[in-house]
Structure formats: structure tokens, C-alpha cells
């Protein structure tokens, strides 16, 4: 073969090889693409809303607060617990334990086993005792004499002193002139220094003395070491019939927690006695006034 022919053949082979190369490139696989998800996106299931009943009206006796958001009301002698919103709590400041109340609530069904009672409205049912009461002891409606005399030992001298009858919700008592009685707050104080104070708390019929002892320890421990006086230690004093007499003290005050039954009802006396000049006369007069309590 001649040289010229060899060159033509070589050129033809080169063209043919380039053609194969282009075809091969044209048939190459495209870059892998992510699979297409044809399924619709799953949205989160909506939270199940509790079913709520229509408002229910009822009347009962306010027993007290179980915690800052739960109040107990006794309805037909059956205790019931209700959730209370912060806004409604503010409207209950003037309602005391054992007050009669008229209220509305709804029943929320959270799930098959959980139901919640939610208070929506509440109001105190006014009584004749409430209408007669005031901050100075109220208008006395008791059959007891409006004035009398009580015996007290002050600065080592035992003598009878004049007293005036004061009335609160459910009871009355006699008060000495140097003292003042707040019927609304159930507080007996010295006029010269109201830090000398007795808070009177009327107990339910079925009160538990052991539980009260635990409450006393917790309350008094904030002041100092808690001591309980025995019946023998109390035998010659004005509180000799006390069911419970506990106290604690520090360098500023003495605090007492006394449980006593008077006229068939149990009472707690929370006493604050600062150390100072009025101390000697405060306790004897306070004890005499407290022992004069009668149910009304």
C-alpha cells in the first residue's frame, strides 16, 4: 500500500474512534436524583380538648384551701374540690372558712378516667351575724350582759376589772379596756401595741388533736425551740383545762399555740407576746377574755 493510502486509513480510523467515543458519552447515565416522596407530609395530631359541661349552680360551706389553686366546698355534707383561676381567687378574699357560699362550676372531662371541677363564680351568702358584725366587735345581739367584770392577776395583784362584751361570727367574749377586739379578723390586741396579739380560730366538731400538735410544731419552730406544757404544769394556771399548750421563744418574743374547749366547742389561740413593758398584763387579761368565750 502506498504511503498516501496509509494516511487516509489512519484518518478514517481516528474519525471512527471519535464517533464511538461521542456515542458512548451520549449514552452515559444521568446523575442520580433523590427519590421523590409521593406521600403527603404527616401533620401532628391536634391535642385533645377536654369536654366541658354546662354551668352547674350549687350552694355549700367553704371548707378551706387545699393548695393555692384548689378550694374545698362541702355540698350536702360531701366535700368537693374545685380548681380556681387567679382572677377568681381575688374575689374570694372576703370569704372565710365555714362561710356559706353560692357558686357555679363546670365539669371538664380530661380523659376516660379524669374529671376536673372548675369554679366559675362564687359569692358569700350573707347571714344576720355578718350584717351585725363590724371591725370593733359588731353590734352585740347576745343575751349576755353588755358589761361585766372579770378577774385577772396583773403585776402580782388579783382584782376584778370592768369588761365589755364583743361579738364575732359564732361566739362572743368579754374584753378589757386596754384591749381591742377585731370581729372580722378574730383578733384580740393591746391598744397601746397591736403586736401583742391573739388570733382566735374556731375548730370543727371532729378536729384531730394529733394533727394540731404537728401544726403547732411547724408554726412555733420558726420562733425557737418548741416546748409542750404538761397538765401538771398547767394545773394552777388559767389554762389548766387546755387540750394542748405549746410554746416557743427567742430574745424578741414568746409565741403560744393553745387548744381549748369552751362552751362545747374547740378553739385554737395563736398568741404573740413580744418582750416589752406590756408583757406582764397582756397574758393574764388575754387568758381571762378567752375563757369568757361562749357560742352564739
Amino acid at each position: 500500500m502506498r504511503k498516501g493510502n496509509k494516511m487516509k486509513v489512519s484518518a478514517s480510523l481516528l474519525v471512527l474512534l471519535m464517533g464511538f467515543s461521542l456515542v458512548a458519552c451520549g449514552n452515559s447515565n444521568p446523575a442520580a436524583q433523590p427519590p421523590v416522596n409521593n406521600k403527603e407530609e404527616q401533620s401532628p395530631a391536634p391535642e385533645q380538648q377536654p369536654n366541658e359541661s354546662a354551668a352547674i349552680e350549687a350552694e355549700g360551706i367553704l371548707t378551706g384551701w387545699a393548695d393555692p389553686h384548689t378550694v374545698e366546698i362541702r355540698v350536702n355534707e360531701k366535700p368537693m374540690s374545685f380548681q380556681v383561676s387567679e382572677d377568681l381567687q381575688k374575689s374570694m378574699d372576703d370569704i372565710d372558712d365555714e362561710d356559706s357560699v353560692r357558686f357555679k362550676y363546670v365539669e371538664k372531662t380530661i380523659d376516660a378516667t379524669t374529671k376536673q371541677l372548675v369554679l366559675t363564680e362564687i359569692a358569700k351568702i350573707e347571714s344576720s351575724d355578718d350584717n351585725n358584725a363590724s371591725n370593733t366587735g359588731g353590734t352585740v345581739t347576745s343575751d349576755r350582759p353588755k358589761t361585766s367584770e372579770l378577774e385577772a392577776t396583773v403585776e402580782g395583784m388579783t382584782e376584778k376589772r370592768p369588761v365589755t362584751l364583743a361579738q364575732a361570727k359564732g361566739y362572743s367574749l368579754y374584753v378589757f379596756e386596754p384591749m381591742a377586739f377585731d370581729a372580722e379578723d378574730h383578733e384580740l390586741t393591746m391598744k397601746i401595741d397591736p403586736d401583742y396579739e391573739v388570733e382566735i380560730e374556731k375548730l370543727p366538731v371532729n378536729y384531730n388533736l394529733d394533727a394540731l400538735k404537728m401544726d403547732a410544731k411547724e408554726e412555733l419552730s420558726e420562733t425557737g425551740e418548741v416546748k409542750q406544757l404538761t397538765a401538771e404544769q398547767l394545773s394552777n394556771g388559767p389554762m389548766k383545762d387546755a387540750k394542748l399548750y405549746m410554746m416557743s421563744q427567742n430574745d424578741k418574743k414568746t409565741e403560744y399555740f393553745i387548744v381549748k374547749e369552751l362552751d362545747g366547742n374547740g378553739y385554737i389561740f395563736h398568741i404573740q407576746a413580744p418582750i416589752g413593758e406590756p408583757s406582764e398584763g397582756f397574758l393574764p387579761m388575754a387568758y381571762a377574755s378567752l375563757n369568757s368565750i361562749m357560742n352564739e
Side-chain angles (χ1 to χ4, degrees):
M1 185 180 292
R2 287 183 300 182
K3 186 176 181 180
N5 291 338
K6 288 183 179 179
M7 291 180 65
K8 288 181 181 179
V9 171
S10 298
S12 298
L13 288 172
L14 179 61
V15 171
L16 186 60
L17 288 172
M18 289 178 65
F20 285 142
S21 176
L22 289 172
V23 171
C25 290
N27 291 336
S28 62
N29 291 329
Q33 298 295 323
V36 177
N37 185 3
N38 293 324
K39 294 182 180 178
E40 295 183 3
E41 268 188 37
Q42 297 293 325
S43 57
E47 292 185 8
Q48 184 178 357
Q49 296 298 318
N51 294 324
E52 185 174 299
S53 71
I56 303 168
E57 295 187 26
E59 292 185 5
I61 306 294
L62 183 73
T63 305
W65 291 86
D67 60 49
H69 302 285
T70 309
V71 72
E72 185 177 275
I73 301 175
R74 196 166 63 249
V75 180
N76 296 325
E77 299 304 319
K78 177 185 176 182
M80 300 175 68
S81 295
F82 298 87
Q83 297 298 301
V84 187
S85 67
E86 289 186 9
D87 290 339
L88 192 58
Q89 287 174 33
K90 297 173 184 177
S91 69
M92 297 178 65
D93 289 345
D94 296 331
I95 305 177
D96 297 322
D97 293 355
E98 298 302 314
D99 278 346
S100 297
V101 291
R102 182 177 293 109
F103 60 96
K104 290 183 181 180
Y105 69 95
V106 294
E107 185 178 278
K108 290 186 177 181
T109 302
I110 308 300
D111 54 41
T113 59
T114 308
K115 290 185 178 181
Q116 191 179 71
L117 305 182
V118 180
L119 210 59
T120 58
E121 293 180 28
I122 186 168
K124 179 179 176 179
I125 300 176
E126 299 292 340
S127 66
S128 58
D129 287 340
D130 297 322
N131 294 330
N132 288 330
S134 74
N135 287 341
T136 57
T139 302
V140 176
T141 59
S142 172
D143 293 333
R144 304 171 75 182
K146 290 181 173 56
T147 59
S148 185
E149 290 183 334
L150 290 180
E151 195 175 83
T153 302
V154 179
E155 296 180 353
M157 302 221 13
T158 301
E159 58 183 6
K160 288 188 175 182
R161 295 189 173 194
V163 289
T164 303
L165 187 67
Q167 188 164 357
K169 183 179 180 180
Y171 64 92
S172 63
L173 76 167
Y174 283 106
V175 179
F176 290 90
E177 172 53 34
M179 306 186 82
F181 179 64
D182 187 322
E184 184 176 343
D185 292 334
H186 304 276
E187 289 179 351
L188 185 66
T189 59
M190 293 287 283
K191 289 180 179 178
I192 192 172
D193 188 348
D195 286 340
Y196 291 84
E197 169 189 84
V198 182
E199 182 184 343
I200 301 170
E201 182 181 349
K202 195 172 184 179
L203 289 167
V205 176
N206 58 341
Y207 70 87
N208 186 308
L209 194 61
D210 290 332
L212 293 179
K213 186 184 294 185
M214 293 176 64
D215 292 343
K217 286 180 179 178
E218 183 177 353
E219 182 177 314
L220 298 173
S221 62
E222 296 180 8
T223 298
E225 181 184 356
V226 181
K227 299 179 182 178
Q228 181 177 350
L229 272 63
T230 64
E232 184 178 353
Q233 291 171 314
L234 297 171
S235 59
N236 294 322
M239 289 285 141
K240 60 184 179 182
D241 297 327
K243 299 291 184 183
L244 181 67
Y245 189 111
M246 299 177 72
M247 60 180 289
S248 63
Q249 61 184 152
N250 55 32
D251 58 350
K252 295 181 180 179
K253 68 175 181 178
T254 305
E255 188 175 357
Y256 302 85
F257 187 108
I258 302 170
V259 178
K260 191 168 185 178
E261 290 189 1
L262 294 161
D263 195 28
N265 233 103
Y267 291 84
I268 303 176
F269 305 130
H270 307 266
I271 303 178
Q272 303 279 342
I275 294 173
E277 189 174 340
S279 296
E280 190 168 352
F282 170 64
L283 279 177
M285 287 189 290
Y287 287 155
S289 289
L290 296 174
N291 285 329
S292 73
I293 286 178
M294 288 185 65
N295 298 315
E296 299 287 358

